Amino acid sequence: MADDIDAIVEDLTTSGLHLGPGTETWMTEAEVAAVRKALAEADVPVHVVLVRPPEDSGIYAGDDLLARVHDAGGPDGLYVGANSEWAVAEGEPASYPTIPGGREVRPAVQQWGDVAGSPDVARDAESLLVSDADGDAQPLADALLSLVRHLDDGTYEAAAAAASDGRSARYEAERESGGSTGSSTSYADEGDTSDAVVGGVTVLVLLAALGLGAAAVGRRVRARRGARTFALPDSVLDRVREAGDAELARRARADVLALGERIDAADLGGSGASAWAAALDHYDAAGRLLPDEPTAEVDPLDAVGAVVLAGRGEEALAAARRGRPFEPSTRCFLNPLHGRASRDHALEHDGRRVEAPICAACRRDLQAGRRPDILEVVVRGRPQHYFETDREPWASTGFGALEPDLVRRLHRGGRR
């Protein structure tokens, strides 16, 4: 694998595009040439790593690969890869960029450094890749070209918002025409680990004592050394927080919507597989966290919970399609919006030591002595780390990082 990573880094530094074995047919020669040309001529650093995900690699295989490539010397910028590949259900619209043979690819998107003048364009980039302004999935080459064009000319935010609105409108139209997805199945993840939260208080107290840094909810902006700061009026800060909360709510609705579409398209109704039941239950649990009225206010931590549950629903659906048991991944404890935890990290304070699952980005920040981006929420006018609040089941479970079965916890204890 080291040789493969080195080859990817070399391709990215020379042309910005790597095509792994088996992906050469994902685009025509003319499309590949067009993508290479767009990447070379753009004034924004976009790097495309197309590697076919192994069948048993999990739903975040592409994200993990992108992190390894960057860590091995890949240039800073926006990285686009492939997390999953599967067949589009017959007679159903695709939900992700399409490739020949009636298949689609669920993209992986990561960012290091500023792109288009912003430290965080990944969410908008993913929205642009998933659909066009009409909410329809595009061929992979068209999606990549559209992404590069909008980033290069500075229209990516408006285009991403239009794509998100298009998906919402299409979903609502389909639902009104008679399609709906739901579940009344009772499911629990294999292997009850409800006692895993024992000792969680120790983790929370220790992390709080460490005094690790802060970030607005939903943001991944890293603190930069030497950055000049100035005090903003409280009214401005309130508007910034409200905008962040609104964007997080839009993401949660988009993720739950996408999962519902994938479940409808899978057409595995009647399947007795526990993974299929898990996909339905995670979709149902995620949907219950969001108000029925699209414009209604969404609690930020409930929105994060919906994102996590929808992600696990995608994992369960992928397992069901492959006929395999569902094994939920562990999210980053410090900020579940960072995605999958790479491994536990030792945290020390006053001679005490504890292990907590965190992502690669948080691990790098801690190792470099930087403040990691910890998920925060405003409580009684003051920002707090989410795990220091009394909001359940999120605080005690770490959104599943400390106690894997979120669905069971929601059914057992509800929310507060």
Side-chain angles (χ1 to χ4, degrees), residues 3-332:
D3 293 339
D4 295 339
I5 296 294
D6 291 341
I8 295 174
V9 172
E10 182 177 355
D11 282 349
L12 297 188
T13 55
T14 56
S15 70
L17 173 65
H18 174 82
L19 296 175
T23 66
E24 302 91 341
T25 60
W26 287 10
M27 298 184 287
T28 66
E29 290 185 6
E31 288 173 335
V32 170
V35 171
R36 290 189 192 277
K37 184 173 184 291
L39 293 172
E41 294 179 350
D43 289 330
V44 290
V46 180
H47 314 295
V48 180
V49 181
L50 298 182
V51 173
R52 187 187 297 275
E55 289 189 1
D56 58 350
S57 57
I59 198 169
Y60 297 110
D63 289 303
D64 291 344
L65 174 61
L66 298 182
R68 294 202 306 274
V69 170
H70 181 262
D71 287 349
D76 281 356
L78 183 75
Y79 280 63
V80 177
N83 270 323
S84 308
E85 174 205 355
W86 43 48
V88 180
E90 185 175 356
E92 296 289 341
S95 300
Y96 297 107
T98 58
I99 56 177
R103 302 183 70 79
E104 59 186 314
V105 176
R106 181 172 180 268
V109 181
Q110 294 290 329
Q111 179 180 347
W112 289 272
D114 285 0
V115 176
S118 171
D120 189 7
V121 303
R123 172 52 48 177
D124 286 336
E126 186 173 352
S127 186
L128 285 169
L129 289 168
V130 169
S131 71
D132 59 17
D134 294 325
D136 298 323
Q138 309 172 82
L140 177 61
D142 291 349
L144 292 172
L145 292 171
S146 174
L147 170 64
V148 175
R149 182 178 72 254
H150 286 299
L151 286 172
D152 200 31
D153 64 17
T155 60
Y156 69 92
E157 290 179 306
S164 178
D165 291 343
R167 287 194 301 276
S168 297
R170 179 166 65 86
Y171 179 71
E172 288 300 323
E174 291 174 354
R175 188 169 65 176
E176 290 175 2
S177 67
S180 63
T181 303
S183 168
S184 58
T185 308
S186 176
Y187 168 80
D189 295 338
E190 277 89 345
D192 182 7
T193 54
S194 57
D195 292 334
V197 72
V198 175
V201 174
T202 303
V203 176
L204 303 183
V205 171
L206 181 58
L207 288 171
L210 285 169
L212 299 177
V217 64
R219 296 262 185 207
R220 289 177 292 178
V221 181
R222 300 288 188 273
R224 288 178 288 180
R225 294 179 181 177
R228 298 177 61 186
T229 61
F230 59 95
L232 289 173
D234 289 343
S235 60
V236 175
L237 290 175
D238 288 342
R239 288 197 295 271
V240 170
R241 292 191 184 104
E242 289 171 1
D245 291 349
E247 174 58 29
L248 180 58
R250 284 193 293 270
R251 173 181 177 180
R253 291 189 184 280
D255 287 1
V256 175
L257 180 154
L259 174 59
E261 291 179 334
R262 293 294 306 164
I263 289 175
D264 285 338
D267 193 25
L268 295 178
S271 170
S274 62
W276 172 244
L280 295 175
D281 281 350
H282 280 78
Y283 171 76
D284 181 69
R288 290 176 184 274
L289 295 174
L290 305 175
D292 292 334
E293 174 56 47
T295 60
E297 184 177 350
V298 181
D299 182 275
L301 292 188
D302 284 348
V304 175
V307 170
V308 172
L309 287 164
R312 286 190 167 186
E314 291 278 8
E315 295 174 357
L317 182 58
R321 294 173 71 98
R322 295 169 181 167
R324 296 178 179 173
F326 166 54
E327 297 181 4
S329 64
T330 300
R331 291 262 179 160
C332 175

Side-chain angles (χ1 to χ4, degrees), residues 333-354:
F333 173 75
L334 294 180
N335 192 331
L337 294 174
H338 290 173
R340 194 174 187 174
S342 57
R343 61 174 179 266
D344 285 359
H345 184 85
L347 302 172
E348 296 185 7
H349 180 69
D350 287 344
R352 292 180 295 171
R353 182 184 179 94
V354 70

Side-chain angles (χ1 to χ4, degrees), residues 341-399:
S342 57
R343 61 174 179 266
D344 285 359
H345 184 85
L347 302 172
E348 296 185 7
H349 180 69
D350 287 344
R352 292 180 295 171
R353 182 184 179 94
V354 70
E355 301 281 335
I358 62 176
C359 67
C362 285
R363 189 178 72 252
R364 286 193 297 269
D365 282 344
L366 289 171
Q367 290 173 341
R370 297 188 298 264
R371 293 180 175 183
D373 174 23
I374 303 176
L375 178 66
E376 285 196 339
V377 64
V378 176
V379 178
R380 290 182 288 278
R382 296 182 58 188
Q384 282 187 297
H385 298 155
Y386 81 89
F387 45 70
E388 295 179 287
T389 71
D390 59 358
R391 294 298 312 285
E392 295 297 346
W394 317 127
S396 63
T397 67
F399 288 91

